[in-house]
Amino acid sequence: MTRKAYTKDEVVLCSYIALYDGALLSEEKISGLEKRSKGSVKMKVQNIAAMLDDKGFSRNSKVSALAGLPAGASGRETDWDLVSEMINIGKSNHWAKCKEIIARAPKQYS
């Protein structure tokens, strides 16, 4: 079975949770955008957290990094280019992007 790649909007939202917090944004809310399971979105957030750890960036300590790799092995870097852009724009600009995405979402998912 082929997995559907995460959209740019989903990565921006997942990155916000991994970097900062999930109080204003939840995996459940993100899951509605492309009709993904909440578990899949949670794993994406955890994968982003693992990438941030691998690259030495601070992140949301309430998110567990995706586990399951042998000691010393690094995780996948899927969407790292976009995640690194979100790091560079800062928390307030990142949240502004998230609000734009949520505002564009179909009302039943926002």
Side-chain angles (χ1 to χ4, degrees):
M1 184 168 102
T2 309
R3 294 184 202 190
K4 181 178 165 189
Y6 274 77
T7 66
K8 180 178 180 176
D9 286 350
E10 289 175 305
V11 174
V12 168
L13 297 172
C14 288
S15 296
Y16 189 85
I17 293 175
L19 282 162
Y20 306 113
D21 73 69
L24 300 173
L25 186 61
S26 67
E27 286 96 345
E28 186 172 356
K29 185 175 274 194
I30 297 169
S31 71
L33 291 175
E34 295 291 329
K35 297 182 175 85
R36 292 185 195 278
S37 72
K38 182 180 171 186
S40 175
V41 174
K42 183 175 181 171
M43 285 179 52
K44 183 63 173 178
V45 171
Q46 291 175 320
N47 183 58
I48 292 169
M51 286 190 290
L52 292 167
D53 287 349
D54 286 348
K55 302 286 187 183
F57 289 98
S58 62
R59 62 173 180 83
N60 178 0
S61 62
K62 294 178 183 172
V63 173
S64 299
L66 190 63
L69 294 171
S74 61
R76 295 178 56 191
E77 293 189 3
T78 307
D79 301 313
W80 175 249
D81 290 346
L82 182 53
V83 173
S84 64
E85 283 179 36
M86 295 302 101
I87 294 165
N88 291 331
I89 67 170
K91 185 176 181 178
S92 61
N93 288 329
H94 192 165
W95 179 241
K97 284 191 174 290
C98 292
K99 289 193 300 187
E100 289 172 16
I101 292 165
I102 293 165
R104 287 195 317 264
K107 291 302 172 205
Q108 71 264 30
Y109 301 119
S110 55

